[in-house]
Amino acid sequence: MANVLVLMMAGLALTASGCATGLDYERAVTVHNVYRRVLLDVDREFTPAMVDAEKRIALANQKLDDVYDAEMKPWLAAVTALKLARQTEQAMHTSLEQWQAGAENGTVLKSTYACASDAVEKLSLAFGELPDNSVLYAASFAISAQLRVLSDGERCPVQ
Amino acid sequence: MMLSPLVTKLVSVAATAVEFVSSLRKKPEAKLDPPIQKTQAEMAAERIQARRAAERLERDKEQKP
């Protein structure tokens, strides 16, 4: 009887240590908040640059729709990538709220971090097609690394 | 039936361990910032595309009276 109880205690201790070394809520929230702030900073840098570029492109190509569309394409692709990143931030927020409410969603949360990391990589690629993108590049790479660590080997189910 | 002191102690320790695990999962003191509803870039792109579409429509009307 005592042996069985000792085994039970060992099981509980292992469960506790597993939780302690797994995804930590505080850390997950901190990275979410940093991710959100980085996206807002990137948005603040990117938007006026896009608006200025569009004015120049529109002025130079008032009746040349094909040229206008071609020159605007990388800017609009970057907007789409930023939108995707923003949507992953919302998904992450929802998962964290569910976790705080007591749901067993550690795995779901890890995959949302993986999706966010993928989205940031796509954002970096989109910014790479734009002129003068060094500030945006640095911000997105820094957060991508943190998101990848928190995803803990999980992959984003949506490709 | 009386439980032996060892069993009582083990049950008590087990309850503490369960409480500890729950506390690891639920930490309400961490402040979760609200999600971003829409980026400035998305709104600006929508305005740009709407304006450009209106300009194209206007030009098409001028070309086909």
Side-chain angles (χ1 to χ4, degrees), chain A residues 31-99:
Chain A
V31 172
H32 162 269
N33 291 348
V34 172
Y35 180 44
R36 177 184 178 277
R37 200 168 63 240
V38 168
L39 286 183
L40 289 174
D41 287 346
V42 163
D43 188 29
R44 205 172 296 120
E45 289 277 339
F46 169 77
T47 306
M50 178 187 68
V51 170
D52 286 349
E54 196 276 336
K55 280 179 189 163
R56 284 196 304 274
I57 294 167
L59 199 64
N61 307 290
Q62 281 178 351
K63 293 181 181 177
L64 300 170
D65 286 335
D66 289 348
V67 181
Y68 174 91
D69 289 345
E71 291 189 15
M72 278 305 290
K73 195 177 174 184
W75 291 98
L76 295 177
V79 174
T80 304
L82 190 56
K83 182 180 177 181
L84 178 69
R86 191 258 299 163
Q87 287 169 335
T88 62
E89 185 269 330
Q90 285 182 329
M92 195 188 290
H93 186 278
T94 303
S95 292
L96 284 164
E97 274 185 331
Q98 288 169 351
W99 192 3

Side-chain angles (χ1 to χ4, degrees), chain B residues 18 27 29-30 32 36 40 43 45 49 53 56 61-62:
Chain B
V18 169
K27 291 192 174 179
E29 65 269 19
L32 182 61
I36 303 167
Q40 291 176 36
M43 291 185 278
Q49 286 173 315
R56 283 182 193 189
K61 277 184 192 170
E62 286 171 8

Side-chain angles (χ1 to χ4, degrees), chain B residues 7-60:
Chain B
V7 172
T8 309
K9 180 74 180 166
L10 284 171
V11 167
S12 164
V13 172
T16 307
V18 169
E19 197 178 322
F20 172 66
V21 170
S22 303
S23 74
L24 284 171
R25 287 186 183 147
K26 217 175 166 183
K27 291 192 174 179
E29 65 269 19
K31 191 184 172 298
L32 182 61
D33 289 342
I36 303 167
Q37 294 303 324
K38 210 166 194 180
T39 60
Q40 291 176 36
E42 286 171 69
M43 291 185 278
E46 283 168 5
R47 284 195 298 272
I48 286 168
Q49 286 173 315
R51 198 207 63 228
R52 188 72 182 181
E55 285 171 3
R56 283 182 193 189
L57 202 64
E58 196 62 34
R59 263 188 284 126
D60 287 350

Side-chain angles (χ1 to χ4, degrees), chain A residues 129-141:
Chain A
E129 300 297 315
L130 300 174
D132 196 19
N133 54 33
S134 52
V135 175
L136 301 168
Y137 236 77
S140 55
F141 271 126

